[in-house]
Amino acid sequence: MNLALKDTLHAPTRFALTALGVAFLVMAVIGMTGLYRGIVEDALLIIDRIDADLWIVQGERAGPFAEGSAVADDMDRRVEGIPGVADVRRFTQFSQQFSFAGVPRRATVTGVDVPRDDGRWLPMAEGRWLGGNRYEAVADASTGLRVGDRIQLARDVYTVVGLTRQMVDSAGDGLLFVGINDAAVIARRRTSEEIHLARAARSGTAAVGADASSVAQESKISAVLVRLDPAADAARVIAAMQRWGDVRVMTTGEQRDLMLNARLWKLRLQILTFTGMILVITAIVVSLIVYTLTLEKLHEIALLKLMGARESVVVGLIGQQAALIGVASYVLAIGLSAAIFPLFPRRVVMLPPDLGQIALALALVCAAAAWVGIARASRVSAREVLS
């Protein structure tokens, strides 16, 4: 006879509410971990998918995803002359606020070098990729735009010709892809008064300071992406471009490392801290539950000992009860997570290795809780049945 199962069926409502309460705590752990995984995937989308071996950014800068970067408009033509370079594309990215149907919206404008960039690295959900025409855009579905919609960016009207899904930046803003020349025009948008003041300032400044940049201040190209020939020596290509002095050449691995260990480091630490706190709270709650259930059964435990039951029977009763609570809570947490997390504004990614680690942590929590209950039950003597 399984005493733990019999005791659970004796009070099913209490067991269900207990499992549900613990399940919400476990779901919070799954949510925190999945939110971090989703943020990392979103942050690395462009870096991983755009198919570039090298990123050429402004000298002494870390690139477009870590800090501001601007390279010369003709940088791509300079790079094309380096032996070992197979393909060169210009790239820029910046946030943009715009209005559609009277509602303010936000997107991350991503300028791609059409037609060099054929968009095959993008998961198109509807419509087509950018053609050779100006004033076309491909939007992520999270922006709320649809194929055929027309939006005004700067002083021009753009037509949405395609849609992607789950293409967002590290902040969760949907990506809006336009041609690199269109992106430069959008980034340069200024009012008439700003243009007038800028011309007046330039006319009044004749000398060029020693700290002046070699990059034209009107340049809005954030980086130049390079694909290397399969037989090219990457170190030699990088050294050749580094000798120019006005650029920094970074590999895709370095861009990933900057994003994960610099820009997202504090977020990772914060999520890890909150996850640890929730696990500690879960351990305390489960231990209190098992301990309370043990206290309620002290008379029955004493009776079992009086009848000659071995200590292992009592240990099995408490351990199996803790295990039942853990298994039921974990199954409920997985089900609730699958039903609720898709409704969140940010992507929550539940990876099997993470779920396995959470299951292991919950097993350790239940084992610790069972030990607390067993320690109390071991102090019960058979004489207490008469009290």
Side-chain angles (χ1 to χ4, degrees):
M1 180 185 298
N2 191 314
L3 296 178
L5 184 59
K6 286 286 186 180
D7 186 69
T8 300
L9 295 177
H10 178 69
T13 303
R14 182 177 63 179
F15 175 80
L17 292 175
T18 299
L20 185 63
V22 177
F24 275 110
L25 290 172
V26 177
M27 187 178 70
V29 175
I30 295 174
M32 295 292 288
T33 306
L35 178 62
Y36 167 71
R37 294 294 185 189
I39 291 173
V40 169
E41 284 197 14
D42 292 342
L44 297 178
L45 274 176
I46 293 292
I47 298 174
D48 288 341
R49 294 189 183 184
I50 205 167
D51 190 22
D53 298 314
L54 302 177
W55 294 70
I56 302 174
V57 301
Q58 186 176 346
E60 301 182 356
R61 296 294 182 97
F65 304 111
E67 59 180 327
S69 172
V71 298
D73 289 332
D74 62 347
M75 181 62 67
D76 56 326
R77 293 192 289 275
R78 290 167 59 184
V79 175
E80 285 175 335
I82 302 295
V85 172
D87 178 66
V88 178
R89 289 167 291 162
R90 295 169 295 169
F91 175 85
T92 190
Q93 190 175 71
F94 53 89
S95 296
Q96 175 74 25
Q97 195 87 14
F98 64 95
S99 178
F100 178 72
V103 179
R105 309 207 179 192
R106 184 179 179 84
T108 297
V109 176
T110 303
V112 289
D113 204 345
V114 179
R116 292 179 180 178
D117 194 324
D118 57 10
R120 60 186 174 185
W121 54 278
L122 276 175
M124 296 296 297
E126 188 179 343
R128 61 172 176 83
W129 178 237
L130 300 172
N133 298 328
R134 296 283 303 274
Y135 311 125
E136 290 184 344
V138 171
D140 188 75
S142 62
T143 61
L145 300 175
R146 296 292 180 265
V147 173
D149 288 343
R150 295 167 63 84
I151 57 174
Q152 182 169 348
L153 300 173
R155 299 182 183 276
D156 302 306
V157 176
Y158 291 76
T159 302
V160 178
V161 297
L163 285 181
T164 63
R165 297 196 184 280
Q166 296 187 342
M167 291 297 296
V168 299
D169 66 1
S170 59
D173 295 328
L175 300 185
L176 184 69
F177 297 92
V178 297
I180 190 70
N181 294 325
D182 288 336
V185 171
I186 296 170
R188 291 191 187 108
R189 71 191 188 283
R190 290 186 294 182
T191 63
S192 301
E193 186 62 23
E194 286 178 305
I195 296 172
H196 174 73
L197 292 174
R199 287 173 179 172
R202 282 198 299 269
S203 64
T205 305
V208 177
D211 60 346
S213 172
S214 63
V215 180
Q217 296 305 302
E218 288 295 308
S219 174
K220 298 301 178 182
I221 308 302
S222 300
V224 171
L225 314 183
V226 179
R227 271 199 300 255
L228 299 176
D229 287 325
D233 184 350
R236 182 172 295 180
V237 174
I238 292 173
M241 290 185 284
Q242 292 279 30
R243 283 195 292 268
W244 295 340
D246 62 337
V247 298
R248 179 182 180 186
V249 184
M250 305 180 66
T251 64
T252 297
E254 290 173 335
Q255 285 283 6
R256 284 178 55 90
D257 184 69
L258 271 174
M259 181 64 75
L260 292 177
N261 298 322
R263 186 170 181 179
L264 297 180
W265 167 246
K266 290 183 178 180
L267 177 63
R268 294 169 67 187
L269 187 62
Q270 185 171 347
I271 289 179
L272 179 63
T273 303
F274 275 109
T275 303
M277 289 173 57
I278 295 173
L279 283 174
V280 170
I281 294 171
T282 303
I284 294 173
V285 170
V286 175
S287 298
L288 286 173
I289 291 171
V290 174
Y291 187 77
T292 302
L293 292 175
T294 303
L295 290 178
E296 293 176 354
K297 291 190 287 290
L298 289 181
H299 183 80
E300 288 78 5
I301 291 172
L303 182 61
L304 286 172
K305 290 186 177 182
L306 182 65
M307 294 170 60
R310 296 187 299 273
E311 192 72 24
S312 59
V313 174
V314 178
V315 171
L317 168 64
I318 298 173
Q320 289 169 15
Q321 250 188 349
L324 283 173
I325 292 173
V327 171
S329 301
Y330 185 75
V331 172
L332 280 172
I334 295 294
L336 290 170
S337 299
I340 295 175
F341 289 160
L343 305 177
F344 280 25
R346 292 301 302 265
R347 191 150 55 109
V348 179
V349 178
M350 297 188 297
L351 299 178
D354 292 336
L355 295 178
Q357 292 177 5
I358 292 171
L360 178 60
L362 183 60
L364 294 176
V365 165
C366 291
W371 178 83
V372 172
I374 292 169
R376 177 63 183 90
S378 64
R379 298 197 300 269
V380 178
S381 65
R383 297 191 305 270
E384 294 184 22
V385 74
L386 302 176
S387 59

XYZ file of all heavy atoms in Angstrom, residues 8-74:
498
model
N -2.700 11.514 0.038
C -3.008 12.557 -0.952
C -4.452 12.475 -1.409
O -5.155 13.489 -1.514
C -2.064 12.435 -2.154
O -0.713 12.584 -1.709
C -2.382 13.476 -3.209
N -4.935 11.253 -1.682
C -6.317 11.076 -2.134
C -7.314 11.360 -1.016
O -8.483 11.657 -1.293
C -6.506 9.646 -2.654
C -5.697 9.288 -3.912
C -5.906 7.826 -4.281
C -6.104 10.190 -5.072
N -6.844 11.291 0.226
C -7.739 11.586 1.354
C -8.099 13.070 1.404
O -9.204 13.427 1.831
C -7.062 11.159 2.663
C -7.869 11.466 3.879
N -9.049 10.800 4.183
C -7.690 12.388 4.873
C -9.554 11.291 5.301
N -8.750 12.244 5.752
N -7.165 13.932 0.942
C -7.427 15.390 0.918
C -6.959 15.947 -0.432
O -5.942 16.658 -0.510
C -6.714 16.077 2.068
N -7.671 15.633 -1.523
C -7.210 16.026 -2.861
C -7.217 17.535 -3.087
O -6.365 18.061 -3.798
C -8.198 15.316 -3.794
C -9.430 15.106 -2.968
C -8.929 14.884 -1.574
N -8.169 18.238 -2.507
C -8.238 19.692 -2.723
C -7.024 20.386 -2.137
O -6.417 21.269 -2.769
C -9.521 20.259 -2.102
O -10.656 19.594 -2.664
C -9.616 21.756 -2.379
N -6.663 19.993 -0.929
C -5.490 20.595 -0.298
C -4.226 20.308 -1.103
O -3.381 21.184 -1.297
C -5.334 20.078 1.126
C -4.168 20.702 1.874
C -4.090 20.229 3.303
N -3.852 18.782 3.377
C -3.724 18.111 4.522
N -3.863 18.758 5.675
N -3.497 16.813 4.526
N -4.106 19.074 -1.583
C -2.930 18.715 -2.376
C -2.892 19.514 -3.674
O -1.836 20.003 -4.091
C -2.939 17.221 -2.689
C -1.815 16.794 -3.599
C -0.539 16.593 -3.096
C -2.026 16.611 -4.967
C 0.504 16.225 -3.928
C -0.996 16.236 -5.793
C 0.277 16.035 -5.278
N -4.058 19.668 -4.332
C -4.112 20.404 -5.600
C -3.724 21.867 -5.395
O -2.957 22.433 -6.197
C -5.505 20.298 -6.211
N -4.235 22.492 -4.337
C -3.896 23.892 -4.068
C -2.420 24.035 -3.710
O -1.766 25.012 -4.100
C -4.774 24.431 -2.948
C -6.263 24.581 -3.278
C -7.045 25.022 -2.044
C -6.456 25.574 -4.413
N -1.899 23.061 -2.956
C -0.474 23.092 -2.611
C 0.385 22.993 -3.865
O 1.336 23.764 -4.058
C -0.140 21.937 -1.655
O -0.902 22.073 -0.462
C 1.331 21.923 -1.316
N 0.057 22.034 -4.731
C 0.822 21.857 -5.969
C 0.710 23.084 -6.865
O 1.697 23.487 -7.507
C 0.326 20.617 -6.710
N -0.465 23.692 -6.904
C -0.653 24.877 -7.740
C 0.185 26.047 -7.225
O 0.801 26.788 -8.013
C -2.130 25.259 -7.769
C -2.515 26.427 -8.696
C -2.212 26.081 -10.144
C -3.991 26.773 -8.523
N 0.217 26.232 -5.901
C 1.022 27.314 -5.348
C 2.498 27.145 -5.641
O 3.182 28.096 -6.044
N 3.013 25.924 -5.474
C 4.422 25.669 -5.787
C 4.659 25.801 -7.287
O 5.718 26.266 -7.727
C 4.832 24.277 -5.276
C 6.279 23.961 -5.658
C 4.656 24.184 -3.771
N 3.656 25.406 -8.099
C 3.793 25.498 -9.559
C 3.993 26.942 -10.008
O 4.779 27.201 -10.931
C 2.565 24.899 -10.239
N 3.320 27.874 -9.362
C 3.494 29.279 -9.733
C 4.916 29.755 -9.412
O 5.495 30.553 -10.152
C 2.462 30.151 -9.028
C 1.147 30.227 -9.748
C 0.015 29.624 -9.225
C 1.033 30.884 -10.961
C -1.198 29.684 -9.888
C -0.178 30.955 -11.638
C -1.295 30.348 -11.100
N 5.479 29.267 -8.313
C 6.864 29.613 -8.000
C 7.825 29.031 -9.040
O 8.753 29.707 -9.501
C 7.228 29.109 -6.598
C 6.568 29.825 -5.421
C 6.865 29.094 -4.119
C 7.039 31.268 -5.338
N 7.586 27.776 -9.415
C 8.427 27.144 -10.440
C 8.244 27.849 -11.776
O 9.216 28.049 -12.527
C 8.094 25.643 -10.553
C 8.917 24.993 -11.670
C 8.358 24.936 -9.234
N 7.028 28.257 -12.085
C 6.780 28.971 -13.332
C 7.532 30.296 -13.352
O 8.005 30.737 -14.410
C 5.277 29.207 -13.511
C 4.917 29.799 -14.874
S 3.146 30.032 -15.100
C 2.845 31.386 -13.963
N 7.645 30.947 -12.194
C 8.410 32.193 -12.131
C 9.878 31.943 -12.455
O 10.513 32.738 -13.157
C 8.272 32.815 -10.744
N 10.423 30.819 -11.964
C 11.807 30.476 -12.284
C 11.957 30.207 -13.779
O 12.900 30.684 -14.434
C 12.253 29.244 -11.465
C 13.655 28.807 -11.874
C 12.212 29.551 -9.984
N 11.020 29.444 -14.351
C 11.057 29.162 -15.786
C 10.936 30.463 -16.581
O 11.632 30.669 -17.583
C 9.919 28.190 -16.173
C 10.136 26.831 -15.506
C 9.846 28.012 -17.692
C 8.986 25.854 -15.707
N 10.058 31.357 -16.125
C 9.859 32.621 -16.828
C 11.092 33.503 -16.801
O 11.461 34.103 -17.815
N 11.753 33.606 -15.655
C 12.957 34.424 -15.556
C 14.054 33.885 -16.466
O 14.722 34.634 -17.184
C 13.439 34.473 -14.106
C 12.493 35.171 -13.154
S 12.351 36.947 -13.450
C 13.931 37.518 -12.872
N 14.233 32.564 -16.433
C 15.260 31.950 -17.283
C 14.900 32.102 -18.755
O 15.752 32.441 -19.586
C 15.404 30.466 -16.924
O 15.655 30.327 -15.527
C 16.547 29.837 -17.703
N 13.632 31.843 -19.090
C 13.207 31.951 -20.482
C 13.247 33.366 -21.000
O 13.543 33.600 -22.183
N 12.949 34.348 -20.134
C 13.027 35.748 -20.545
C 14.464 36.119 -20.899
O 14.717 36.803 -21.896
C 12.506 36.647 -19.422
C 12.560 38.155 -19.683
C 11.686 38.523 -20.872
C 12.124 38.926 -18.443
N 15.405 35.663 -20.074
C 16.812 35.940 -20.375
C 17.217 35.293 -21.700
O 17.876 35.926 -22.538
C 17.706 35.426 -19.251
C 19.158 35.396 -19.636
C 19.876 36.577 -19.782
C 19.810 34.197 -19.898
C 21.201 36.569 -20.166
C 21.130 34.180 -20.278
C 21.821 35.354 -20.414
O 23.126 35.343 -20.804
N 16.814 34.032 -21.902
C 17.144 33.361 -23.166
C 16.545 34.111 -24.355
O 17.172 34.234 -25.412
C 16.622 31.924 -23.152
C 17.292 31.011 -22.140
C 18.734 30.785 -22.471
N 19.350 29.809 -21.561
C 20.633 29.542 -21.505
N 21.469 30.205 -22.308
N 21.105 28.652 -20.671
N 15.321 34.594 -24.188
C 14.691 35.340 -25.270
C 15.404 36.642 -25.569
O 15.592 37.006 -26.740
N 15.813 37.361 -24.525
C 16.540 38.615 -24.733
C 17.861 38.363 -25.450
O 18.256 39.104 -26.357
C 16.757 39.322 -23.382
C 15.420 39.835 -22.836
C 17.741 40.482 -23.520
C 15.500 40.405 -21.444
N 18.569 37.292 -25.049
C 19.839 36.958 -25.697
C 19.621 36.616 -27.169
O 20.352 37.086 -28.044
C 20.525 35.795 -24.956
C 21.699 35.252 -25.767
C 21.011 36.255 -23.596
N 18.606 35.809 -27.452
C 18.335 35.453 -28.852
C 17.979 36.685 -29.674
O 18.436 36.834 -30.813
C 17.207 34.416 -28.925
C 17.640 33.014 -28.554
C 16.649 31.970 -29.017
O 15.762 32.299 -29.844
O 16.751 30.820 -28.570
N 17.175 37.562 -29.108
C 16.809 38.776 -29.831
C 18.026 39.662 -30.080
O 18.182 40.245 -31.153
C 15.750 39.556 -29.043
C 14.417 38.834 -28.973
O 14.201 37.934 -29.786
O 13.603 39.166 -28.082
N 18.901 39.770 -29.067
C 20.073 40.626 -29.194
C 21.057 40.099 -30.236
O 21.760 40.879 -30.890
C 20.763 40.769 -27.844
N 21.108 38.784 -30.396
C 22.085 38.174 -31.308
C 21.498 37.840 -32.684
O 22.200 37.259 -33.516
C 22.652 36.896 -30.682
C 23.434 37.081 -29.371
C 23.883 35.725 -28.846
C 24.631 37.993 -29.571
N 20.239 38.201 -32.909
C 19.597 37.838 -34.180
C 20.398 38.333 -35.381
O 20.743 37.566 -36.285
C 18.177 38.414 -34.231
C 17.068 37.574 -33.607
C 15.745 38.332 -33.656
C 16.934 36.245 -34.317
N 20.670 39.620 -35.412
C 21.373 40.206 -36.549
C 22.790 39.648 -36.637
O 23.256 39.244 -37.720
C 21.407 41.734 -36.433
C 19.992 42.309 -36.570
C 22.307 42.340 -37.502
C 19.385 42.166 -37.934
N 23.495 39.600 -35.524
C 24.889 39.142 -35.525
C 24.995 37.721 -36.046
O 25.901 37.391 -36.838
C 25.479 39.254 -34.101
C 25.485 40.713 -33.646
C 26.890 38.677 -34.051
C 25.919 40.898 -32.201
N 24.082 36.850 -35.618
C 24.172 35.440 -36.002
C 23.659 35.176 -37.412
O 24.155 34.266 -38.096
C 23.384 34.578 -35.010
C 24.073 34.474 -33.658
O 25.281 34.742 -33.595
O 23.404 34.139 -32.664
N 22.665 35.938 -37.852
C 21.996 35.590 -39.103
C 22.493 36.340 -40.328
O 22.291 35.886 -41.452
C 20.483 35.832 -38.972
C 19.803 34.911 -37.981
C 18.296 35.055 -38.075
N 17.602 34.239 -37.099
C 16.275 34.127 -37.023
N 15.511 34.787 -37.880
N 15.724 33.371 -36.094
N 23.147 37.474 -40.136
C 23.450 38.310 -41.289
C 24.606 37.768 -42.124
O 24.907 38.283 -43.201
C 23.741 39.752 -40.839
C 23.449 40.739 -41.967
C 25.163 39.881 -40.313
C 23.398 42.181 -41.530
N 25.266 36.726 -41.650
C 26.290 36.020 -42.429
C 27.468 36.932 -42.782
O 27.750 37.196 -43.952
C 25.674 35.426 -43.705
C 26.630 34.479 -44.420
O 27.549 33.966 -43.761
O 26.464 34.282 -45.636
N 28.138 37.415 -41.737
C 29.333 38.243 -41.929
C 30.478 37.653 -41.115
O 30.285 37.209 -39.984
C 29.067 39.681 -41.495
N 31.675 37.641 -41.712
C 32.862 37.158 -41.004
C 33.523 38.283 -40.212
O 34.043 38.046 -39.116
C 33.866 36.564 -41.993
C 33.301 35.354 -42.731
O 32.701 34.490 -42.065
O 33.443 35.287 -43.966
N 33.519 39.495 -40.786
C 34.174 40.628 -40.148
C 33.230 41.821 -40.108
O 32.406 42.005 -41.015
C 35.452 41.019 -40.901
C 36.537 39.943 -41.050
C 37.693 40.472 -41.883
C 37.030 39.468 -39.694
N 33.378 42.649 -39.065
C 32.625 43.888 -38.911
C 33.632 45.031 -38.853
O 34.448 45.092 -37.925
C 31.785 43.865 -37.634
C 30.686 42.848 -37.641
C 30.812 41.500 -37.589
C 29.276 43.116 -37.683
N 29.588 40.892 -37.603
C 28.620 41.865 -37.656
C 28.518 44.275 -37.733
C 27.241 41.754 -37.683
C 27.135 44.163 -37.755
C 26.507 42.917 -37.742
N 33.565 45.929 -39.820
C 34.461 47.090 -39.840
C 33.689 48.276 -39.274
O 32.687 48.711 -39.839
C 34.946 47.389 -41.266
C 35.668 46.165 -41.832
C 35.866 48.599 -41.288
C 36.054 46.305 -43.288
N 34.163 48.776 -38.143
C 33.467 49.851 -37.441
C 34.415 51.036 -37.271
O 35.592 50.979 -37.639
C 32.947 49.365 -36.075
C 31.998 48.189 -36.251
C 34.107 48.970 -35.159
N 33.888 52.106 -36.709
C 34.692 53.307 -36.494
C 35.872 53.013 -35.576
O 35.765 52.222 -34.630
C 33.817 54.407 -35.898
C 34.510 55.753 -35.749
C 33.566 56.822 -35.254
O 32.356 56.638 -35.261
N 34.100 57.949 -34.829
N 36.999 53.635 -35.856
C 38.201 53.415 -35.063
C 37.997 53.686 -33.588
O 37.334 54.657 -33.217
N 38.543 52.799 -32.757
C 38.460 52.901 -31.307
C 37.030 52.840 -30.791
O 36.733 53.315 -29.701
C 39.157 54.181 -30.800
C 40.637 54.259 -31.166
C 41.303 55.505 -30.603
O 40.588 56.337 -30.006
O 42.518 55.643 -30.762
N 36.134 52.285 -31.584
C 34.748 52.072 -31.149
C 34.475 50.566 -31.121
O 35.212 49.771 -31.686
C 33.752 52.762 -32.088
C 33.866 54.279 -32.115
C 33.480 54.889 -30.787
N 33.537 56.343 -30.804
C 32.490 57.128 -31.012
N 31.308 56.597 -31.256
N 32.620 58.445 -30.999
N 33.371 50.192 -30.458
C 33.037 48.771 -30.291
C 31.978 48.281 -31.266
O 31.574 47.131 -31.197
C 32.572 48.507 -28.860
N 31.515 49.146 -32.147
C 30.553 48.664 -33.133
C 29.147 49.172 -32.896
O 28.843 49.758 -31.858
N 28.263 48.936 -33.856
C 26.927 49.544 -33.820
C 26.027 49.037 -32.705
O 25.052 49.696 -32.370
C 26.352 49.171 -35.193
C 27.096 47.945 -35.602
C 28.473 48.100 -35.048
N 26.326 47.879 -32.121
C 25.441 47.334 -31.090
C 25.874 47.724 -29.683
O 25.121 47.547 -28.739
C 25.390 45.805 -31.196
C 24.968 45.328 -32.559
C 25.870 44.685 -33.386
C 23.685 45.526 -33.022
C 25.498 44.247 -34.638
C 23.296 45.101 -34.270
C 24.205 44.457 -35.085
N 27.089 48.235 -29.535
C 27.594 48.603 -28.215
C 27.662 50.108 -28.019
O 27.399 50.606 -26.927
C 28.972 47.980 -27.987
N 28.015 50.845 -29.063
C 28.108 52.304 -28.983
C 28.005 52.878 -30.387
O 28.003 52.153 -31.375
C 29.424 52.719 -28.318
C 30.668 52.221 -29.037
C 31.941 52.670 -28.341
O 31.940 53.775 -27.775
O 32.931 51.921 -28.393
N 27.914 54.199 -30.481
C 27.793 54.842 -31.775
C 28.995 54.564 -32.661
O 30.140 54.524 -32.201
N 28.729 54.373 -33.940
C 29.800 54.090 -34.893
C 29.422 54.705 -36.237
O 28.272 54.636 -36.667
C 30.002 52.576 -35.042
O 30.908 52.286 -36.098
N 30.404 55.319 -36.901
C 30.188 55.897 -38.226
C 31.465 55.738 -39.039
O 32.537 56.158 -38.604
C 29.801 57.368 -38.121
N 31.339 55.105 -40.194
C 32.492 54.935 -41.087
C 32.226 55.721 -42.372
O 31.092 56.136 -42.655
C 32.737 53.446 -41.406
C 33.062 52.672 -40.137
C 31.522 52.828 -42.102
N 33.267 55.938 -43.126
C 33.148 56.726 -44.358
C 32.178 56.072 -45.335
O 32.060 54.841 -45.401
C 34.527 56.884 -45.000
N 31.491 56.910 -46.102
C 30.522 56.393 -47.070
C 31.169 55.489 -48.114
O 30.513 54.598 -48.666
C 29.816 57.560 -47.774
C 28.867 58.295 -46.840
O 28.357 57.647 -45.896
O 28.648 59.499 -47.036
N 32.440 55.723 -48.431
C 33.116 54.921 -49.451
C 33.952 53.801 -48.842
O 34.812 53.223 -49.526
C 34.009 55.816 -50.311
C 35.122 56.486 -49.493
O 35.047 56.448 -48.241
O 36.048 57.046 -50.106
